[in-house]
Amino acid sequence: MLIACRKRGISVDILRASVERIERDLFQEFEDEAPTQNIGDKVLAELFEIDSVAYVRFASVYEKFDTVADFQQIIDSVTRGKSESSLIQN
């Protein structure tokens, strides 16, 4: 998360709170170990809310993007998701 958010002006406090939410959710969901897939999905969800560029950065590594089309697809989904969430909030 720190690398994805580098040079994005996101405070450590915001990231710390995000990590605490992720940990809390995982502890509630799993008794022993949380699958890495679940951890990555929760990180993606948090980054989506925090910063779209950080989200795309993390997704590009987490989802192992191979082509420019992979980037375009995630950028399109972020653009659609942000515009839909702003419609819901208004």
Side-chain angles (χ1 to χ4, degrees), residues 58-69:
F58 187 86
S60 71
V61 175
Y62 178 64
E63 301 290 343
K64 300 178 184 155
F65 289 5
D66 292 321
T67 66
V68 173

Side-chain angles (χ1 to χ4, degrees), residues 33-80:
E33 293 182 20
T36 56
Q37 178 76 37
N38 292 80
I39 297 168
D41 291 346
K42 289 186 182 303
V43 170
L44 276 173
E46 286 289 328
L47 288 175
F48 185 83
E49 295 300 322
I50 293 170
D51 184 82
S52 57
V53 172
Y55 171 80
V56 171
R57 286 177 178 173
F58 187 86
S60 71
V61 175
Y62 178 64
E63 301 290 343
K64 300 178 184 155
F65 289 5
D66 292 321
T67 66
V68 173
D70 294 334
F71 281 95
Q72 189 61 52
Q73 186 177 11
I74 198 79
I75 290 168
D76 290 345
S77 72
V78 169
T79 304
R80 279 192 310 275

